[in-house]
């Protein structure tokens, strides 16, 4: 049976609906690991042997008393993922994985984007907006979008953050919602205790991409912004896209 390694932790989620999702994605022998155990397992070789790898984690942060601290992964963890990608074995990253490992630049170069919890040399902190109802539009024929209608409705959290469209293959856009600061809330304000606030915050207009293929060394790395909670987990088109992406990055589709 094909093996699927799922990494989570660092960001809250509803565990039972997510578990049901990952066991609905096909004939996989699923190993689901949560940080910090997930980091240690990858260090010990778990990612080398897995046929498919799904990142649903947001590792490398400590949130406490209205502040956030970040750290990079261990050198051994970096080496393990670098080894996997250099061998041409790909992965899928979902939702808040775009924020994980803020202090590991190569991870975000591979992903093609980054959600920022704090302002810095990159510019302002990123924006988030829960429960947005939008139209997901498939942009191209691709193994990830096979058997998915050209458009379908979705309700999910969206991000306003830097995405390097020039470095990725766009697959899916969110239509019917403007990616402008007036429609989002500040991540830094949320960390400081002011949820759903944009006071004193501004952000340049951003990309409407919610699905793309990037390249991690010799391997495909598919990012899907879908995944905030049970309504998205249950969307049959989202399930089809995730299942397709896992098979594609495992080398089963061309």
């Amino acid at each position: 049976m094909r093996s699927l390694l799922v990494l989570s932790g660092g960001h809250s989620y509803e565990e039972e609906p997510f578990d049901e999702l990952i066991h609905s994605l096909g004939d996989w022998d699923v190993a689901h690991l949560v940080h910090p155990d997930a980091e240690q397992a990858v260090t010990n070789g778990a990612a080398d042997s897995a046929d498919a790898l799904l990142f649903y984690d947001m590792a490398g942060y400590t949130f406490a008393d209205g502040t956030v601290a970040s750290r990079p992964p261990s050198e051994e963890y970096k080496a393990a993922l670098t080894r996997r990608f250099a061998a041409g074995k790909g992965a899928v990253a979902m939702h808040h994985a775009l924020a994980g490992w803020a202090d590991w630049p190569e991870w975000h170069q591979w992903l093609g984007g980054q959600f920022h919890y704090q302002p810095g040399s990159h510019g302002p902190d990123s924006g988030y907006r829960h429960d947005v109802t939008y139209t997901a539009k498939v942009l191209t024929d691709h193994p990830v979008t096979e058997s998915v209608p050209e458009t379908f409705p979705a309700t999910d959290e969206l991000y306003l953050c830097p995405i390097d469209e020039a470095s990725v293959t766009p697959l899916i856009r969110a239509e019917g919602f403007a990616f402008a600061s007036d429609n989002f809330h500040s991540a830094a304000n949320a960390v400081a205790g002011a949820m759903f606030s944009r006071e004193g915050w501004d952000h340049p207009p951003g990309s409407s991409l919610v699905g793309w293929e990037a390249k991690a060394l010799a391997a495909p790395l598919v990012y899907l912004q879908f995944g905030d909670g049970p309504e998205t987990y249950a969307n049959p088109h989202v399930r089809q896209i995730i299942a397709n992406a896992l098979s594609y990055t495992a080398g089963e589709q061309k």
Side-chain angles (χ1 to χ4, degrees):
M1 183 181 291
R2 305 173 302 169
S3 59
L4 168 60
L5 176 62
V6 179
L7 308 183
S8 68
H11 191 290
S12 61
Y13 61 93
E14 296 193 41
E15 294 180 10
E16 289 188 11
F18 180 72
D19 185 68
E20 195 277 327
L21 166 69
I22 61 177
H23 284 89
S24 76
L25 298 174
D27 186 21
W28 297 99
D29 180 13
V30 178
H32 181 188
L33 301 173
V34 181
H35 287 286
D37 292 343
E39 183 178 358
Q40 187 60 53
V42 170
T43 294
N44 292 343
D48 295 274
S49 57
D51 294 315
L53 176 57
L54 176 62
F55 295 95
Y56 189 64
D57 56 345
M58 198 184 80
Y61 290 100
T62 301
F63 296 92
D65 301 321
T67 64
V68 57
S70 58
R71 67 167 181 89
S74 69
E75 292 302 317
E76 293 80 7
Y77 179 93
K78 294 179 186 179
L81 288 185
T82 299
R83 188 168 60 244
R84 177 184 175 88
F85 294 147
K89 300 180 73 172
V92 179
M94 284 177 59
H95 201 55
H96 44 251
L98 198 64
W101 299 126
D103 296 334
W104 186 19
E106 289 83 3
W107 172 239
H108 294 283
Q109 290 168 10
W110 292 337
L111 272 179
Q114 182 171 0
F115 184 97
H116 297 280
Y117 271 94
Q118 295 291 301
S121 60
H122 53 266
D125 56 292
S126 297
Y128 68 96
R129 178 71 176 265
H130 291 133
D131 299 324
V132 178
T133 297
Y134 63 92
T135 298
K137 180 177 176 59
V138 172
L139 303 175
T140 186
D141 289 333
H142 190 282
V144 171
T145 57
E146 186 177 352
S147 302
V148 177
E150 183 178 353
T151 61
F152 62 90
T155 300
D156 205 359
E157 181 184 17
L158 293 177
Y159 298 148
L160 183 65
C161 64
I163 296 170
D164 184 6
E165 288 203 17
S167 72
V168 303
T169 300
L171 300 178
I172 306 166
R173 287 196 185 276
E175 295 192 333
F177 186 78
F179 282 72
S181 58
D182 286 352
N183 282 333
F184 289 83
H185 305 120
S186 160
N189 285 357
V191 168
M195 290 291 293
F196 313 121
S197 168
R198 62 180 67 91
E199 183 177 355
W201 174 77
D202 195 18
H203 194 289
S207 170
S208 62
L209 280 183
V210 293
W212 62 80
E213 180 184 357
K215 197 77 169 177
L217 301 175
L221 178 55
V222 173
Y223 175 73
L224 304 171
Q225 199 169 119
F226 307 112
D228 185 50
E231 184 169 358
T232 304
Y233 302 159
N235 186 313
H237 305 306
V238 171
R239 290 189 173 198
Q240 182 70 62
I241 289 166
I242 299 169
N244 288 346
L246 291 172
S247 293
Y248 173 65
T249 56
E252 297 174 12
Q253 302 179 25
K254 303 295 183 183

